[in-house]
Amino acid sequence: MTRKLPDYANDESRFQTSRSTLFVDRLMTVFIKLGGVLVTTSVLGIFAFILIQIWPLFAPARIEEIKSVQLPQTPFALLGIDEWGALPFLVEPDGRMLTVDGETGEISEKNIDFGTPMKITAATLNKREQKIIVGTDDGRFSIISPNYTSIESDGSQIIKIDPQAEAAIPLGLPNVPIEDIAYGDSGTSKLVVVLQSIDGKPHLSAAVFKRKKTLMGFGKEQRVGTYDPTPLISGRPTKILVPGSGDSVLIITDDGRVHYLAVSENGFELRQTFTPFEDLPDRHIKTAAFIFGDVSISFASNSGANRVFSLYYPKGRDQRAFGLTHRFPDLGTGPTFLISTLRNKAFLLGGGSELSLRYSTTDSIRWQEKMPYNVVNAAISGKYHRLVVLDGTNRLHFFKIHDPHSDSSWKALFSKVWYEGAPEPSWEWQSTGGSDDFEPKYSLVPLIFGTIKGTFYAMMFAIPIALLAALYTSQFLDPCFRSVVKPTMEIMASLPSVVLGFLAAIYIAPLIEDQIPSLLLVAVGLPIMAAITGLVWSRLPIQTRQWIHPGWEWIVFLPLLLGSGWILWSLGPRLEAACFLVTDSSTGLKSADFRAWWPIVTGTGFDQRNSLVVGFMMGFAVIPIIFTIAEDALSNVPTSLITASMACGASRWQTATRIVLPTASSGIFSALMIGLGRAVGETMIVVMATGNTPIMEWNIFSGMRTLSANIAVELSEAPHHSTLYRTLFLGALLLFMLTFAVNTVAEILRHRLRAKFKTV
Amino acid sequence: MPAVLSEPVSSDFPTTVNTSTDGRPDFISIQNFSFFYGAKQALFDISMDIPERQVTAFIGPSGCGKSTLLRNLNRMNELIDGIRHTGDIVIHGHSIYDPLIEVISLRKRVGMVFQKSNPFPKSIYENVVYPLRVAGQKTKTILDETVERSLKGAALWDEVKDRLHESALSLSGGQMQRLCIARAIANRPEILLMDEPCSALDPVATVKVEELIQELKSQFTIVIVTHNMQQATRCSDKTAFFYLGRLVEFADTQKIFANPSNKQTEDYITGRFG
């Protein structure tokens, strides 16, 4: 039964590598390479995707001419366009309306039925109402509704116009031509202002109409007063502007001044007179228009200077006044018209052959070009996607506007911007508002600030606790406890942050809210108590200390510290009663309330969901990470160094601070940086435990909004490819770059530290 | 955290010396000493007297307990868990296990050099003054003087005097070990324990360390553990041979190597086992 063994001694195959070994080796080499390449490509792909999403935010507007149509050689009183940009209209002085089909170029004419024939001497478009007001040569005015209708048929859209004129109403001097006219209508009150002149002297007339609002809708319109604001004006009026609210009028005079008159109980009162181009040699205002929202006015001077004035409450005043908020570069030539859009804060300034599309909020020129013809008038569609320009030869040019992110620029995202109604430039984030004419505020600075603030408070809380705990666990605690403490902390690290956030918002925030003095006492008192305990312990006779085996000291200290913590906590109300008194202004009674005391003393707010809660809870999320990595680093310090230090007669504390800590510094640094990265990117805790208020103050008792929380909060509100959508992507990129920068710096420093403290 | 802020004076190691009649005090007296790592007994009932200002070598095969005994002389073994001992070790007539004595002050008195050189990741200067720093010495002149004296004592001064503030880790292996010796003698201990100080060194560095031991003998009581019989003959005055945790023979070095009274000793030193 002897099996013949192979003759190994002469078997050449023992020097060969089996085919399967080689095959697996090559396969795995290729597989790993492929995996690496795929991972790198995906990361770069994500990066590229984000960049592609962000790029349009910084792109300028694109405007292309589609076609042009030659119009009859008659003068026009007005040029307007519908919401869809398909059927622009022109009003002729004799009351006829010309429409031009944007698709076919077909020109058609309609007579507006005024009842009696009249000659139009002034016409103004009320953009908000989509109505035209015309003034006649005999001192009457009429409001015309173009009545656009859009009919969908066979997938194509047919736009029709059916202008209807209201009965002409006399206003001002009878039988004197109206030179300029404007009106505003808030629904319940309407203001019409006309400019006439008699014997070369200007004359202004204003009429106020009121309508009652009932359950059945608006009641019948009634004229409640007719006024003559001329005496309030010095200089010769050249242009009238009335905001949509119909509660005031701005009259521009030929000396370059603007008179701001408000409708009062009986007539008008002069609120403010200002000169937009006071510091320029040529102060004369050539043209002006309200920017969408009717809070800001863009003025253009004779020489082409361009400034925007906004209504706001100047500091220390209780009445709104106009102030210079935006300056634009000169047009380069004398302007002829300035029109605003119905979509955003953009306006188009035209003069000579220059066309310039500008955006008020960000002081930016979105687009400017020299045309091969002189521009006379223009109109922008309600959707801000079509532009028609009338040239000096009565040719109507059709343009396509591609400017989806007119409200975005470097300035809008990162610089202080003077928003409408604000008394000064500021960094603001407020992506949506209550009305269509809301000015979106896309500054990322408050969000970056919020991220830094949240991280700062979290790290303030987490770093001392985590590092001291790691030092204690690795150097002082008996090893049999270490094997319990470490896994427990690691389990803590795996707690979902949504649970921590939930706890913070529902439990911790209300608990802390009225216990701030107790918290203060514990935060200050407990470390002091710990230090005193340590001091007393070290002074105890050696016999007493020998009762406790080294590494078991916590058995004595823990009850001591818990007890003193409890005492300090319960002393909180007394501290509050002693230090944080507020006097009720109506009753004169004093009461102890930190929540009321803090805003009075510091001038900053006190919110229930504040940075303290976030710092505390986010600290909880970060502590296990820092602890685990730092503890590993400290435990990995070679025993030979510790024994060497001990043999030199160093105590455990001296060994820990002088040898172990510096040697482990690179690992501890990594721990801190990984903790920092976690705190920077942490989302759920911040979303739930702060008020998500994008404010910029270091106050620990106010909330904040971080970049990550901002993405979580606003994503569902952001329409696809909107400015907000892309700005959120930019926020994501910033977050990525922030963590990337932190990690890179950390890695460089870590290498330096490691080189410095490398062990043999 | 129990920070030992300063040493209470009462727990310092006593300094009175019991002088014996022959002028060579029985400086370290090990009395019926047994030592256990958990359940395993490492040393069996050792009794010996180590004389002052002489070099005593501990020899024996690996695992014989010579290093364990050495590490007990400054209680370094206490860094390990689950150890216990019976018997006593007496220095200056005082038990090192006296509960009233801080182990730190014992270690200041009994310096140690390890088998593997273990300089701190600090500068050469800071390595040498470390024992003084932890003892609270801040005076610059004293620190400077100590560095020069210790480095000269360790025969390293000429090699490093121009780069005292460079990292200790830039030194060669032999220089590092001599730096560790300089560190061990910086605070002028009375006893210097050396645990196979040359086992990781090349022959040239070994010679330097051995010469150093001869020079240090005049100031310190030296106990050296070595595997190298030639080293023991070259630099020790007395030699103790350990085998399986027991002290087999302890006598003058010349006698042990020339005329061992024990068969096991003879077998070991003649290379028949070990």
Side-chain angles (χ1 to χ4, degrees):
Chain A
M1 276 282 288
T2 49
R3 236 173 64 210
K4 190 176 185 304
L5 292 165
D7 185 5
Y8 281 118
N10 297 320
D11 187 358
E12 278 300 313
S13 74
R14 73 187 190 282
F15 299 123
Q16 287 167 4
T17 314
S18 80
R19 295 174 71 87
S20 67
T21 307
L22 284 176
F23 174 73
V24 169
D25 187 68
R26 281 171 199 157
L27 180 76
M28 289 321 285
T29 310
V30 171
F31 189 71
I32 288 166
K33 259 185 206 160
L34 197 70
V37 168
L38 276 177
V39 167
T40 317
T41 320
S42 334
V43 170
L44 287 177
I46 292 170
F47 197 69
F49 174 77
I50 293 179
L51 279 182
I52 289 168
Q53 292 299 322
I54 290 166
W55 174 244
L57 285 179
F58 304 104
R62 277 206 323 270
I63 296 185
E64 301 156 9
E65 184 162 350
I66 312 168
K67 60 157 52 172
S68 62
V69 177
Q70 183 61 51
L71 302 182
Q73 296 295 333
T74 50
F76 296 105
L78 193 76
L79 170 65
I81 193 168
D82 58 309
E83 184 185 349
W84 304 276
L87 199 65
F89 64 83
L90 297 103
V91 178
E92 293 177 48
D94 59 359
R96 282 186 309 162
M97 187 180 257
L98 208 70
T99 57
V100 186
D101 192 305
E103 287 283 318
T104 60
E106 186 188 332
I107 303 169
S108 48
E109 231 174 32
K110 264 197 169 82
N111 270 318
I112 306 169
D113 180 17
F114 290 105
T116 55
M118 47 197 248
K119 185 156 169 50
I120 296 168
T121 51
T124 304
L125 192 65
N126 185 326
K127 285 223 176 56
R128 187 136 94 175
E129 299 286 315
Q130 277 295 300
K131 284 179 184 172
I132 306 151
I133 188 163
V134 293
T136 66
D137 63 344
D138 57 354
R140 293 183 300 161
F141 76 88
S142 172
I143 293 172
I144 306 163
S145 307
N147 287 335
Y148 275 110
T149 46
S150 153
I151 304 152
E152 295 267 355
S153 71
D154 301 336
S156 65
Q157 196 182 29
I158 298 166
I159 311 292
K160 285 190 170 158
I161 188 167
D162 177 23
Q164 298 287 326
E166 290 175 12
I169 301 169
L171 179 61
L173 306 165
N175 292 317
V176 174
I178 290 172
E179 291 170 7
D180 196 13
I181 186 165
Y183 94 105
D185 190 350
S186 69
T188 54
S189 87
K190 183 162 82 179
L191 173 68
V192 182
V193 183
V194 298
L195 170 66
Q196 295 164 304
S197 57
I198 185 159
D199 302 334
K201 283 183 72 181
H203 186 264
L204 288 161
S205 309
V208 177
F209 301 84
K210 296 261 183 202
R211 260 174 301 199
K212 282 234 160 63
K213 206 176 177 181
T214 64
L215 282 175
M216 306 301 290
F218 287 112
K220 211 173 151 22
E221 194 174 81
Q222 275 187 320
R223 188 193 284 221
V224 295
T226 307
Y227 311 100
D228 176 9
T230 319
L232 295 170
I233 310 298
S234 57
R236 188 184 172 80
T238 54
K239 192 169 171 58
I240 307 166
L241 293 169
V242 178
S245 55
D247 60 355
S248 56
V249 59
L250 285 118
I251 294 155
I252 298 166
T253 51
D254 61 353
D255 53 358
R257 289 201 292 169
V258 181
H259 300 74
Y260 172 37
L261 310 181
V263 177
S264 65
E265 290 287 311
N266 34 18
F268 285 92
E269 58 169 302
L270 181 66
R271 281 266 172 85
Q272 188 195 1
T273 312
F274 60 98
T275 313
F277 302 106
E278 200 163 15
D279 52 328
L280 299 185
D282 184 4
R283 298 179 180 181
H284 189 92
I285 298 167
K286 184 67 199 292
T287 173
F290 270 112
I291 285 163
F292 183 50
D294 292 359
V295 179
S296 306
I297 307 167
S298 177
F299 294 99
S301 83
N302 254 359
S303 59
N306 184 203
R307 289 174 181 180
V308 169
F309 279 67
S310 282
L311 259 187
Y312 59 86
Y313 288 96
K315 277 190 173 152
R317 283 180 57 181
D318 57 353
Q319 257 189 350
R320 292 206 296 179
F322 281 95
L324 176 62
T325 53
H326 301 286
R327 286 166 195 267
F328 287 89
D330 278 16
L331 182 65
T333 172
T336 48
F337 64 89
L338 196 163
I339 55 162
S340 56
T341 71
L342 256 183
R343 187 75 160 193
N344 50 34
K345 308 291 178 185
F347 59 89
L348 183 76
L349 186 61
S353 57
E354 288 283 347
L355 271 180
S356 179
L357 184 68
R358 296 160 175 221
Y359 199 81
S360 149
T361 309
T362 56
D363 309 353
S364 57
I365 295 179
R366 302 295 304 163
W367 171 85
Q368 181 159 354
E369 225 168 271
K370 217 171 182 63
M371 295 293 147
Y373 40 77
N374 276 341
V375 292
V376 172
N377 206 346
I380 293 174
S381 70
K383 287 185 184 296
Y384 188 56
H385 69 321
R386 290 287 185 277
L387 163 70
V388 286
V389 176
L390 188 66
D391 71 11
T393 62
N394 265 15
R395 203 174 172 83
L396 194 64
H397 300 265
F398 287 75
F399 292 87
K400 200 188 240 176
I401 303 178
H402 183 82
D403 189 17
H405 308 296
S406 52
D407 46 1
S408 160
S409 69
W410 279 108
K411 187 180 160 93
L413 293 165
F414 299 106
S415 297
K416 278 191 173 179
V417 172
W418 201 327
Y419 295 107
E420 285 180 347
E424 59 190 2
S426 58
W427 288 296
E428 300 278 345
W429 172 273
Q430 193 185 0
S431 59
T432 48
S435 59
D436 287 343
D437 56 14
F438 166 78
E439 188 176 33
K441 301 166 182 69
Y442 290 124
S443 179
L444 290 173
V445 178
L447 307 177
I448 297 168
F449 180 88
T451 306
I452 294 169
K453 181 183 174 184
T455 310
F456 173 75
Y457 282 118
M459 297 307 271
M460 275 246 298
F461 177 69
I463 288 176
I465 293 185
L467 285 193
L468 287 176
L471 191 61
Y472 179 69
T473 311
S474 70
Q475 300 302 312
F476 297 94
L477 191 63
D478 196 280
C480 67
F481 296 115
R482 186 170 10 168
S483 57
V484 179
V485 169
K486 240 190 130 194
T488 313
M489 289 297 269
E490 273 154 17
I491 288 170
M492 252 181 80
S494 65
L495 266 182
S497 63
V498 67
V499 175
L500 291 176
F502 181 67
L503 265 178
I506 302 301
Y507 183 69
I508 305 281
L511 179 79
I512 286 181
E513 189 191 7
D514 49 4
Q515 300 282 356
I516 298 288
S518 301
L519 206 69
L520 269 177
L521 269 182
V522 172
V524 174
L526 214 54
I528 295 175
M529 268 308 294
I532 291 175
T533 317
L535 191 73
V536 169
W537 179 258
S538 71
R539 298 278 160 168
L540 282 179
I542 191 164
Q543 295 98 317
T544 323
R545 276 184 283 153
Q546 267 176 349
W547 292 345
I548 307 292
H549 193 267
W552 289 68
E553 292 93 347
W554 60 271
I555 287 187
V556 183
F557 295 155
L558 197 64
L560 210 65
L561 290 180
L562 282 181
S564 50
W566 182 78
I567 292 168
L568 286 167
W569 182 269
S570 43
L571 281 177
R574 290 187 180 218
L575 179 75
E576 193 168 30
C579 301
F580 306 120
L581 286 172
V582 279
T583 314
D584 191 310
S585 56
S586 56
T587 60
L589 289 176
K590 283 194 170 190
S591 60
D593 190 352
F594 184 84
R595 280 171 293 174
W597 180 84
W598 177 263
I600 292 170
V601 173
T602 61
T604 49
F606 183 98
D607 301 323
Q608 189 205 45
R609 299 194 180 174
N610 53 42
S611 312
L612 184 69
V613 178
V614 172
F616 187 70
M617 234 26 189
M618 204 142 87
F620 253 86
V622 173
I623 283 172
I625 296 171
I626 300 183
F627 173 85
T628 311
I629 302 170
E631 210 274 344
D632 278 340
L634 290 166
S635 297
N636 284 340
V637 171
T639 334
S640 66
L641 290 185
I642 296 171
T643 46
S645 169
M646 292 294 212
C648 287
S651 67
R652 283 192 296 169
W653 176 248
Q654 285 172 326
T655 306
T657 51
R658 286 163 192 247
I659 302 299
V660 178
L661 270 182
T663 311
S665 56
S666 72
I668 290 171
F669 195 73
S670 302
L672 294 184
M673 283 300 146
I674 291 169
L676 191 75
R678 167 85 198 258
V680 166
E682 177 54 55
T683 311
M684 281 324 289
I685 294 173
V686 193
V687 168
M688 297 170 92
T690 65
N692 288 314
T693 42
I695 49 172
M696 292 184 58
E697 50 177 58
W698 281 109
N699 177 14
I700 191 168
F701 295 116
S702 66
M704 71 237 170
R705 183 187 287 203
T706 65
L707 280 167
S708 56
N710 188 54
I711 295 170
V713 168
E714 304 241 353
L715 195 61
S716 52
E717 315 272 330
H720 190 58
H721 287 171
S722 66
T723 305
L724 175 58
Y725 174 91
R726 296 192 194 280
T727 311
L728 292 182
F729 268 103
L730 180 62
L733 182 75
L734 274 183
L735 204 55
F736 173 75
M737 289 191 329
L738 207 64
T739 37
F740 185 78
V742 165
N743 284 350
T744 309
V745 171
E747 196 61 18
I748 292 165
L749 285 177
R750 201 169 67 84
H751 275 287
R752 290 220 177 137
L753 281 174
R754 182 186 271 178
K756 189 172 168 197
F757 291 112
K758 74 161 193 252
T759 47
V760 190
Chain B
M1 217 154 289
V4 181
L5 298 171
S6 66
E7 300 308 320
V9 179
S10 63
S11 56
D12 270 357
F13 200 86
T15 47
T16 46
V17 178
N18 290 356
T19 318
S20 63
T21 44
D22 63 354
R24 282 254 181 247
D26 297 333
F27 192 60
I28 305 170
S29 172
I30 300 164
Q31 299 162 356
N32 302 100
F33 190 77
S34 297
F35 188 79
F36 304 83
Y37 291 111
K40 182 178 168 283
Q41 187 166 2
L43 294 174
F44 295 85
D45 196 35
I46 305 225
S47 291
M48 64 190 285
D49 290 331
I50 297 169
E52 191 179 14
R53 298 203 181 168
Q54 288 194 9
V55 179
T56 304
F58 288 0
I59 61 167
S62 294
C64 69
K66 56 191 187 301
S67 278
T68 303
L69 181 63
L70 186 83
R71 294 167 69 92
N72 265 303
L73 295 180
N74 63 349
R75 289 173 62 180
M76 282 308 284
N77 272 337
E78 288 183 12
L79 300 176
I80 303 162
D81 282 328
I83 50 124
R84 68 191 171 85
H85 69 94
T86 59
D88 203 358
I89 296 172
V90 175
I91 297 177
H92 278 320
H94 292 274
S95 167
I96 64 166
Y97 292 104
D98 187 335
L100 292 179
I101 285 169
E102 285 282 359
V103 68
I104 295 168
S105 65
L106 168 70
R107 287 181 192 146
K108 285 176 179 159
R109 190 166 292 273
V110 186
M112 186 160 188
V113 177
F114 295 84
Q115 176 173 7
K116 188 169 171 280
S117 64
N118 48 8
F120 301 128
K122 296 168 182 277
S123 67
I124 295 169
Y125 185 94
E126 282 303 319
N127 261 283
V128 178
V129 299
Y130 184 78
L132 276 75
R133 288 229 191 262
V134 297
Q137 181 62 259
K138 289 191 181 71
T139 318
K140 179 107 182 20
T141 47
I142 295 180
L143 296 178
D144 289 346
E145 184 268 324
T146 304
V147 168
E148 187 171 347
R149 172 179 54 76
S150 307
L151 286 174
K152 278 180 176 162
L156 192 61
W157 175 252
D158 293 332
E159 291 161 60
V160 300
K161 66 182 174 200
D162 299 324
R163 47 180 181 135
L164 289 176
H165 294 281
E166 280 177 30
S167 170
L169 305 176
S170 61
L171 298 176
S172 73
Q175 286 173 325
M176 277 194 207
Q177 189 63 304
R178 278 180 284 147
L179 178 68
C180 290
I181 294 171
R183 186 176 66 194
I185 62 174
N187 203 24
R188 300 178 197 248
E190 293 176 338
I191 301 161
L192 193 59
L193 308 180
M194 295 179 141
D195 190 356
E196 297 184 41
C198 303
S199 65
L201 301 185
D202 63 82
V204 179
T206 303
V207 169
K208 283 196 173 166
V209 172
E210 283 176 8
E211 286 168 4
L212 182 59
I213 290 169
Q214 288 305 315
E215 282 166 30
L216 292 174
K217 189 166 83 170
S218 58
Q219 302 167 50
F220 306 98
T221 304
I222 295 173
V223 183
I224 178 169
V225 166
T226 179
H227 261 120
N228 185 328
M229 245 74 70
Q230 279 77 30
Q231 189 170 55
T233 50
R234 277 196 300 266
C235 60
S236 73
D237 302 307
K238 289 195 144 216
T239 298
F241 173 63
F242 292 87
Y243 186 57
L244 296 177
R246 288 167 212 281
L247 176 64
V248 176
E249 192 170 348
F250 179 43
D252 286 342
T253 302
Q254 283 177 339
K255 179 178 180 295
I256 286 246
F257 283 94
N259 185 18
S261 52
N262 190 290
K263 178 81 172 61
Q264 280 172 332
T265 316
E266 190 179 349
D267 287 351
Y268 181 72
I269 59 176
T270 53
R272 256 166 252 167
F273 75 94

